[in-house]
Amino acid sequence: MAKAKTNFVCSDCGAIANKWTGQCSSCHQWNTMVESVIETGGNNRYSQPAHLSLAQTAPVLSLADIDAIDVPRFGTGIEEFDRVLGGGLVSGGVVLIGGDPGIGKSTLLLQALANVSHLKKVLYVSGEESGAQIALRAKRLAIDARDLKLQAEIQLEKILATLADLKPEVAVIDSIQTLYSDALSSAPGSVAQVRECAAQLTRAAKQTGVTIILVGHVTKEGALAGPRVLEHIVDTVLYFEGDSHSSFRLVRAIKNRFGAVNELGVFAMTEKGLKGVSNPSALFLSQHDSQVPGSCVMVTQEGTRPLLVEIQALVDASHLPNARRLSVGLEQNRLAMLLAVLHRHAGIAAFDQDVFINAVGGVKISEPAVDLAVLLAINSSMRNKALPRGFVVFGEVGLAGEIRPAPRGQERLREAAKLGFSMAMIPTANAPKQAIEGMTIIAVDRIDDAFNKLREIQ
């Protein structure tokens, strides 16, 4: 028997090479080239009759002549999940949700599908668990799953036949890495199989209007396994964040064609499954009997939701030639930049000090509006003097020492006032035109000005 011809495909960008290389020549990522069997012969599986094509042949129209119709949505019965989705599921939409093993992906989708099954026809396709295992989980979670249809199958063609025969309105595929297509000879989970199965399921969703939710595995770095084109094919990409050993889970929207990106949903893992958290800011604020040095509360904006997060700093004398800089939940390089700004424009040196920064609750903050909170927390720890009670800040710090405005400043201030904070230090450009009841506003332009005004109120 002749040996099958193989090539090497990049798992990140899908580039093809004839031989293995340590670095992909297209996306320049290391150790992403995976051996794959070259598929030969057979009819072109993408050649379909006109009535089955993804988009019917249509005349060219002016954009102004096309009626813009809002996309209809339907809820899942889980408020936090609907928030991340942008208001609910969309007919014909394809959602990809990924996360670490055991973090709650299957549990959340089983709960959501059970809620939807009372109003719509649904299908749960499992390629990892047997029907008995899923039934046992539904019993443990006390889920009413009488109207939920289940299929334990990993062959793509059989799943597509079931979708065509049953005609569900919502289908969950758990998971995309376990599926395989007879059109390809490579193993399930390979780059070619994942790309092919995702493309065929997306085609089916657009043709029939069924909403498909795909569960995706993640690599040890936390990124979705498989080719990066997988994220481009689908309409929405959701990531589970947080430690699987913690009782709290965060679901973040990385991509959403029907809603806001970086939207955040907060869940608590209970004996009855994942429950939405009504006041997520309480998770990210430590409960101290009194104010402690090195702690500063900031207001971050996650999608459309303002959240209050406590930033903690610990500054200690270093006994190493190179002082350590460690940040959890914040960008490491930005911390080094902020320490340089602190020295240059505020005259506070930390070159011989170990600096540790932590965002309480396991939340990851990527926006630059956290800069001012980090610097105030570092200064508080160095002076061993706590910030005033009820004090909240936000603002981006530039390399010239200026404090830049943050988007949606009014919403941040209103959220802080609602939670009982009485004093806010913010950029001058974010100062409200009308006073906020019960809150004192301290507007600052530069970092040295911020420290001077802080000393006056301490």
Side-chain angles (χ1 to χ4, degrees):
M1 182 177 177
K3 183 180 178 181
K5 294 184 179 180
T6 61
N7 56 14
F8 294 86
V9 182
C10 175
S11 60
D12 271 11
C13 68
I16 300 175
N18 293 326
K19 62 180 181 179
W20 184 88
T21 55
Q23 184 184 37
C24 174
S25 59
S26 296
C27 64
H28 305 294
Q29 294 295 319
W30 290 92
N31 299 321
T32 57
M33 304 302 294
V34 180
E35 188 174 13
S36 178
V37 178
I38 299 176
E39 308 295 338
T40 59
N43 295 327
N44 186 355
R45 56 187 177 273
Y46 296 108
S47 298
Q48 299 188 12
H51 68 281
L52 295 178
S53 63
L54 184 61
Q56 301 294 337
T57 303
V60 178
L61 300 175
S62 172
L63 185 61
D65 296 334
I66 300 176
D67 293 333
I69 303 174
D70 290 336
V71 181
R73 298 178 182 272
F74 55 93
T76 63
I78 304 176
E79 184 178 352
E80 289 295 306
F81 192 36
D82 290 339
R83 171 190 287 273
V84 180
L85 290 169
L89 293 170
V90 177
S91 298
V94 182
V95 179
L96 175 64
I97 181 167
D100 295 331
I103 203 167
K105 302 184 297 295
S106 300
T107 299
L108 177 63
L109 293 179
L110 185 61
Q111 291 178 259
L113 214 58
N115 293 336
V116 176
S117 66
H118 301 310
L119 301 174
K120 297 179 179 293
K121 187 182 293 187
V122 300
L123 173 66
Y124 191 106
V125 179
S126 176
E128 299 178 349
E129 298 176 285
S130 65
Q133 287 177 300
I134 298 175
L136 184 62
R137 176 187 294 143
K139 182 178 179 181
R140 186 175 67 249
L141 299 176
I143 293 175
D144 182 9
R146 289 173 295 179
D147 300 323
L148 196 154
K149 304 297 182 183
L150 175 68
Q151 182 185 27
E153 182 57 62
I154 61 174
Q155 185 178 352
L156 176 66
E157 285 73 19
K158 292 182 179 179
I159 295 173
L160 292 175
T162 302
L163 293 176
D165 181 46
L166 191 63
K167 293 182 174 59
E169 295 176 79
V170 184
V172 169
I173 311 295
D174 187 5
S175 66
I176 186 64
Q177 273 81 16
T178 61
L179 301 191
Y180 75 94
S181 172
D182 280 340
L184 304 176
S185 58
S186 51
S190 64
V191 173
Q193 287 285 8
V194 171
R195 182 173 55 222
E196 172 72 5
C197 292
Q200 293 291 349
L201 289 169
T202 302
R203 179 184 294 266
K206 304 305 180 184
Q207 289 175 351
T208 63
V210 57
T211 302
I212 294 182
I213 304 177
L214 307 176
V215 178
H217 294 171
V218 294
T219 63
K220 59 184 179 181
E221 290 83 14
L224 277 165
R228 195 62 185 268
V229 71
L230 183 62
E231 298 184 37
H232 294 284
I233 292 175
V234 300
D235 298 313
T236 305
V237 179
L238 308 180
Y239 271 93
F240 261 93
E241 296 179 358
D243 187 358
S244 59
H245 302 290
S246 172
S247 60
F248 298 108
R249 305 286 191 269
L250 307 177
V251 180
R252 187 187 300 273
I254 303 300
K255 170 190 176 182
N256 195 347
R257 289 174 178 160
F258 306 112
V261 295
N262 281 330
E263 196 71 66
L264 191 70
V266 185
F267 298 87
M269 179 63 80
T270 67
E271 294 180 354
K272 300 300 181 181
L274 288 167
K275 304 294 183 183
V277 177
S278 58
N279 183 19
S281 294
L283 302 179
F284 310 126
L285 298 177
S286 295
Q287 303 298 325
H288 303 296
D289 294 333
S290 60
Q291 293 298 101
V292 295
S295 174
C296 182
V297 178
M298 65 90 57
V299 192
T300 183
Q301 188 80 19
E302 296 291 346
T304 59
R305 163 186 281 173
L307 290 176
L308 275 80
V309 180
E310 181 178 352
I311 305 298
Q312 293 180 336
L314 176 62
V315 181
D316 193 20
S318 178
H319 301 286
L320 299 173
N322 295 322
R324 287 185 293 176
R325 307 283 186 257
L326 180 64
S327 62
V328 178
L330 303 167
E331 190 179 354
Q332 187 100 5
N333 293 333
R334 196 159 190 89
L335 173 59
M337 184 194 75
L338 291 175
L339 289 174
V341 174
L342 187 65
H343 181 210
R344 180 65 179 269
H345 298 287
I348 301 174
F351 54 85
D352 58 346
Q353 305 283 319
D354 289 333
V355 180
F356 305 94
I357 301 292
N358 177 45
V360 173
V363 66
K364 296 179 181 178
I365 304 177
S366 57
E367 69 162 346
V370 71
D371 293 350
L372 185 56
V374 170
L375 292 182
L376 293 183
I378 291 173
N379 180 61
S380 173
S381 179
M382 293 182 72
R383 297 175 60 201
N384 197 29
K385 191 169 185 179
L387 296 173
R389 180 176 293 276
F391 185 75
V392 66
V393 304
F394 62 84
E396 177 185 356
V397 177
L399 289 178
E402 78 280 10
I403 299 179
R404 299 176 179 271
R408 299 189 176 182
Q410 308 302 311
E411 296 179 18
R412 299 176 195 242
L413 290 174
R414 283 195 292 267
E415 179 70 14
K418 186 173 65 175
L419 294 176
F421 287 83
S422 57
M423 187 180 302
M425 180 175 287
I426 63 174
T428 302
N430 284 127
K433 297 181 180 179
Q434 296 180 351
I436 298 178
E437 184 179 356
M439 175 169 283
T440 303
I441 303 297
I442 303 173
V444 291
D445 287 320
R446 297 188 54 80
I447 187 63
D448 50 349
D449 185 29
F451 285 123
N452 291 333
K453 291 186 177 180
L454 183 61
R455 294 187 187 98
E456 295 176 1
I457 62 176
Q458 278 184 322

